[in-house]
């Protein structure tokens, strides 16, 4: 189907495409911090057992003039790190420690008990977090990670499911309803009455986030010609990184987790209104046989691009006849089982998933060295966003000029090598480890852009959203397993880093089973993929090859 030619008639580089790219970039800016938001909303501040002066055992007289430091000495024992214990207090008041000649370091043998009266938190950095809200410390500290696990589960569930729904019912409806739902659920999450409700709401927010990210990105690509794709992919990646950096600054200004959560939820009510205006994907409408609606949307695009004369021409019977002729050969919806029974689709899903899994699995291991970059959580977050900008900017040129397979293989090998090298470098060599970290992080940032382009080029329009949902779920699963791998450090301290380094190197084998897509036509249906394969293997007649190149977008 010569969709590029149709776009050229209604405007393929006009105001409409620019507005859609701006909308996608703003979405990336707001949505990208979702998964790392709990670095701040669930931050664990310094804390110790609350000192209850009403306790009869404390024997504190109201006329005693004790400072906070004095109360800490007599009520809170010192830990092994010579700092006040966070989870224990003295069972009985230790008045002897008020004597400056007696050291509080010798308090390990005194009888202690848990924090029966709650905890006192240091609010100098964070006014409020979910940890201070629901006392998720000491024996309850693991509950924080349960919240993160349920949030991750939302991505795993929604990725494939939203992809299937989008390929069946369209991109626009999901974007509208999920934007409205994200705003409403996010607002309620900021005022969650208890921890259980908070976990459920975070699960839903993650599901909506995945749906919005996948479908907004696909919608923009499907409404733009191929010449725009590198720009769309790189700009989206850049704004994704900028958004994570902005989070560090915003969290520094907004130290209350309720307000920070609210700040990222309220904009989605505006996005809902904008998505009501956005046209449905014309490419998807044509593929699914909805020619009348496709014709109306093409008129809208032509009008927005200032080509009203062309919009009038779109009402001619010739154009409608042309669209309907194309649909006669492509109007049948794909079946879910095609992903499993079609050998070409199955090979693409398995091979590309292994590449994504290896890179994401290893990158969590690369982040093990983040603490060496500084203890200031806000500056660290800004730094992580900033170091992506140069590498993602360079990908704009590589996407346009370099073949996909060797580039992805190079990035995987480099990432694996960076992690492997850190095994042999001591932690005292701060500068060298930081340089290697920046190189590895840069390779990962470039990989995200290149793999996004490659995944969309591998997927035909009729199941593009479904396959992208599967790839997203694989990426999230890789993050979970990577984090679980850290538990093996108590058995063999180098095992996680060995796995993180070796897996990307081994995964480069999978690239041999994937086709090259650089400078080849994009495909609309599964039959186009088969023609492209035959074209690459020269197992196609000259006429068939010419017809394929003329009827697909290049």
């Amino acid at each position: 189907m010569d969709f590029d030619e149709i776009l050229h008639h209604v405007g393929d580089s006009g105001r409409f495409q620019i507005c859609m790219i701006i909308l996608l970039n703003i979405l990336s800016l707001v949505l990208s911090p979702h998964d790392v938001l709990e670095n701040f909303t669930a931050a664990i501040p310094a804390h110790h057992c609350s000192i209850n002066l009403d306790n009869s055992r404390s024997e504190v007289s109201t006329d005693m003039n004790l400072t906070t430091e004095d109360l800490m000495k007599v009520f809170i024992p010192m830990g092994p790190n010579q700092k006040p214990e966070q989870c224990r207090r003295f069972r009985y008041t230790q008045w002897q420690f008020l004597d400056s000649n007696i050291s509080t370091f010798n308090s390990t043998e005194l009888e202690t008990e848990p924090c029966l009266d709650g905890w006192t938190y240091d609010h100098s950095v964070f006014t409020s977090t979910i940890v201070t809200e629901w006392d998720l410390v000491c024996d309850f500290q693991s509950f924080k990670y349960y919240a993160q696990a349920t949030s991750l589960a939302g991505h795993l569930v929604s990725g494939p499911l939203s992809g299937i729904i989008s390929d069946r019912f369209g991109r626009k409806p999901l974007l509208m309803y999920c934007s409205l739902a994200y705003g409403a659920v996010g607002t309620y999450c900021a005022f969650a009455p208890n921890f259980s409700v908070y976990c459920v709401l975070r699960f839903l927010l993650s599901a909506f986030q995945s749906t919005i990210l996948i479908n907004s990105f696909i919608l923009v690509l499907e409404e733009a010609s191929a010449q725009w794709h590198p720009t769309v992919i790189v700009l989206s990646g850049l704004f994704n990184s900028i958004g994570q950096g902005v989070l560090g600054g915003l969290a520094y200004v907004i130290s209350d987790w309720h307000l920070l959560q609210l700040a990222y939820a309220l904009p989605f009510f505006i996005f809902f209104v904008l998505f009501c205006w956005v046209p449905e994907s014309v490419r998807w409408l044509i593929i699914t046989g909805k020619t009348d609606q496709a014709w109306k949307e093409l008129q809208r695009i032509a009008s927005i691009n200032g080509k009203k004369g062309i919009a009038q021409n779109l009402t001619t019977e010739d154009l409608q006849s042309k669209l309907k002729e194309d649909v006669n050969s492509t109007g049948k919806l794909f079946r879910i089982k095609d992903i499993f029974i079609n050998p070409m689709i199955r090979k693409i899903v398995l091979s590309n998933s292994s590449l994504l899994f290896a890179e994401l699995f290893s990158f969590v291991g690369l982040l093990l060295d983040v603490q060496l970059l500084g203890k200031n959580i806000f500056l660290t977050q800004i730094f992580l966003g900033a170091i992506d900008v140069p590498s993602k900017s360079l990908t704009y040129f590589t996407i346009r000029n370099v073949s996909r397979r060797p580039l992805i293989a190079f990035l995987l090998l480099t990432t694996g090598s960076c992690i492997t090298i850190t095994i042999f470098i001591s932690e005292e060599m701060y500068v060298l480890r930081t340089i290697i970290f920046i190189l590895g992080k840069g390779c990962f940032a470039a990989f995200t852009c290149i793999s996004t382009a490659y995944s969309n080029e591998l997927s035909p329009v009729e199941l593009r959203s479904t396959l992208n949902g599967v790839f997203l779920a694989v990426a999230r699963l890789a993050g979970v397993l990577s984090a679980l791998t850290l538990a093996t450090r108590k058995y063999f301290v180098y095992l996680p880093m060995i796995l993180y380094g070796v897996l990307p190197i081994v995964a480069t084998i999978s690239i041999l089973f994937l086709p090259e897509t650089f400078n080849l036509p994009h495909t609309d249906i599964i039959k186009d993929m088969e023609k492209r394969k035959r074209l690459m293997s020269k197992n196609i007649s000259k006429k068939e090859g010419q017809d394929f190149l003329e009827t697909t977008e290049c």
Side-chain angles (χ1 to χ4, degrees), residues 362-545:
S362 299
F363 183 64
V364 174
L366 194 64
L367 287 178
L368 289 175
D369 287 339
V370 168
Q371 67 271 17
L372 298 179
L373 302 178
K375 295 183 179 180
N376 188 311
I377 187 174
F378 305 105
L379 291 179
T380 299
Q381 185 65 46
I382 294 172
F383 179 78
L384 289 177
I387 62 178
D388 283 355
V389 174
S391 60
K392 287 186 176 180
S393 300
L394 288 174
T395 58
Y396 175 77
F397 302 99
T398 56
I399 287 177
R400 298 173 68 92
N401 300 290
V402 181
S403 299
R404 308 295 185 242
R405 296 172 67 197
L407 182 57
I408 289 176
F410 170 77
L411 293 173
L412 283 168
L413 290 171
T414 305
T415 301
S417 301
C418 286
I419 299 176
T420 304
I421 289 172
T422 59
I423 299 175
F424 306 100
I425 302 176
S426 66
E427 295 185 2
E428 286 74 21
M429 301 179 69
Y430 166 80
V431 175
L432 182 58
R433 289 176 69 91
T434 302
I435 292 173
I436 294 175
F437 173 86
I438 293 174
L439 177 61
K441 184 70 165 60
C443 288
F444 173 77
F447 178 86
T448 57
C449 288
I450 302 299
S451 65
T452 299
Y454 193 45
S455 297
N456 280 280
E457 291 167 354
L458 288 172
S459 308
V461 171
E462 63 175 337
L463 66 158
R464 180 171 291 163
S465 187
T466 300
L467 293 185
N468 274 275
V470 172
F471 296 147
L472 177 64
V474 169
R476 302 300 182 183
L477 179 62
V480 174
L481 296 180
S482 180
L484 293 176
T485 304
L486 296 178
T488 63
R489 297 186 74 176
K490 63 182 179 180
Y491 303 110
F492 180 34
V493 67
Y494 296 113
L495 181 59
M497 297 302 288
I498 292 174
L499 293 176
Y500 296 149
V502 171
L503 194 59
I505 296 173
V506 175
T508 55
I509 299 174
S510 299
I511 202 72
L512 299 175
F513 301 99
L514 291 171
E516 180 58 68
T517 58
F518 179 61
N519 277 346
L520 284 178
H522 295 181
T523 57
D524 291 330
I525 58 175
I526 296 176
K527 287 183 178 180
D528 288 341
M529 297 177 65
E530 295 170 349
K531 290 180 180 178
R532 182 171 65 182
K533 180 182 177 182
R534 291 165 57 196
L535 179 66
M536 290 297 294
S537 62
K538 309 297 184 183
N539 187 21
I540 188 172
S541 67
K542 185 176 181 180
K543 182 179 184 304
E544 285 181 312

Side-chain angles (χ1 to χ4, degrees), residues 5-12 298 301-302 305 307 310 314:
E5 181 183 350
I6 297 174
L7 269 182
H8 180 71
H9 284 304
V10 300
D12 56 2
L298 284 170
I301 294 173
N305 284 336
K307 296 190 175 184
I310 298 296
L314 290 175

Side-chain angles (χ1 to χ4, degrees), residues 30-321:
V30 178
L31 276 176
S32 60
H34 172 83
D35 290 328
V36 293
L37 192 65
E38 287 184 334
N39 285 345
F40 303 95
T41 60
I44 303 176
H47 55 276
H48 59 79
C49 295
S50 294
I51 298 173
N52 186 3
L53 299 180
D54 296 329
N55 192 322
S56 59
R57 290 182 302 173
S58 66
E59 303 174 359
V60 177
S61 173
T62 56
D63 60 353
M64 296 181 67
N65 187 19
L66 297 178
T67 65
T68 301
E69 184 180 354
D70 292 335
L71 291 173
M72 290 288 291
K73 286 181 179 180
V74 300
F75 281 98
I76 309 297
M78 298 295 288
N81 58 354
Q82 305 306 317
K83 293 183 179 181
E85 276 281 2
Q86 295 184 326
C87 302
R88 306 290 295 182
R89 70 180 185 184
F90 289 125
R91 187 173 181 83
Y92 300 101
T93 310
Q94 305 299 318
W95 297 111
Q96 69 274 16
F97 290 138
L98 291 177
D99 188 344
S100 59
N101 295 323
I102 300 178
S103 174
T104 57
F105 298 155
N106 301 322
S107 60
T108 54
E109 297 181 358
L110 298 174
E111 189 175 0
T112 62
E113 63 183 4
C115 301
L116 302 179
D117 298 311
W119 290 264
T120 298
Y121 298 95
D122 177 11
H123 296 290
S124 62
V125 179
F126 296 100
T127 305
S128 172
T129 69
I130 66 169
V131 172
T132 63
E133 183 100 0
W134 296 302
D135 288 332
L136 306 181
V137 292
C138 299
D139 293 340
F140 304 100
Q141 186 167 335
S142 59
F143 281 48
K144 168 189 172 179
Y145 305 107
Y146 295 156
Q148 294 173 334
T150 55
S151 178
L152 194 61
H155 294 297
L156 294 175
V157 172
S158 70
L161 184 61
S162 66
I164 293 170
I165 295 174
S166 174
D167 283 333
R168 183 69 63 175
F169 300 105
R171 306 353 180 174
K172 181 177 177 177
L174 274 180
L175 287 172
M176 289 171 52
Y177 297 129
C178 286
S179 295
L180 181 62
Y182 192 99
V185 173
T187 302
Y188 183 46
C189 183
F191 305 100
N194 56 61
F195 179 69
S196 298
V197 172
Y198 172 84
C199 289
V200 173
L201 295 176
R202 285 292 295 178
F203 174 89
L204 294 174
L205 285 174
S206 294
F208 298 141
Q209 188 239 18
S210 294
T211 302
I212 295 170
L213 274 181
I214 292 173
N215 288 280
S216 60
F217 187 78
I218 290 176
L219 179 63
V220 173
L221 289 183
E222 290 178 350
E223 299 283 24
S225 61
Q227 65 178 351
W228 277 94
H229 289 188
T231 303
V232 172
I233 292 168
V234 173
L235 282 178
S236 177
L238 283 173
F239 275 85
N240 188 293
S241 298
I242 293 171
Q244 297 203 21
V246 169
L247 172 63
L250 190 61
Y252 180 77
V253 176
I254 305 176
S255 59
D256 186 294
W257 81 270
H258 302 278
L259 298 178
L260 188 59
Q261 175 67 54
L262 205 59
Y264 280 98
L266 293 179
F268 282 88
F269 292 111
I270 300 175
F271 288 134
F272 166 71
V273 176
L274 293 175
F275 281 128
C276 290
W277 166 83
V278 169
E280 177 60 273
S281 168
V282 178
R283 186 189 296 273
W284 177 83
L285 290 171
I286 294 175
I287 292 297
T288 53
K290 297 177 174 61
T291 54
D292 292 336
Q293 188 178 350
W295 166 65
K296 293 178 181 178
E297 300 292 19
L298 284 170
Q299 281 191 312
R300 287 186 60 196
I301 294 173
S303 298
I304 295 170
N305 284 336
K307 296 190 175 184
K308 294 183 179 180
I310 298 296
Q312 294 297 325
N313 295 333
L314 290 175
T315 62
T316 61
E317 293 294 326
D318 292 338
L319 182 57
Q320 290 192 45
S321 175

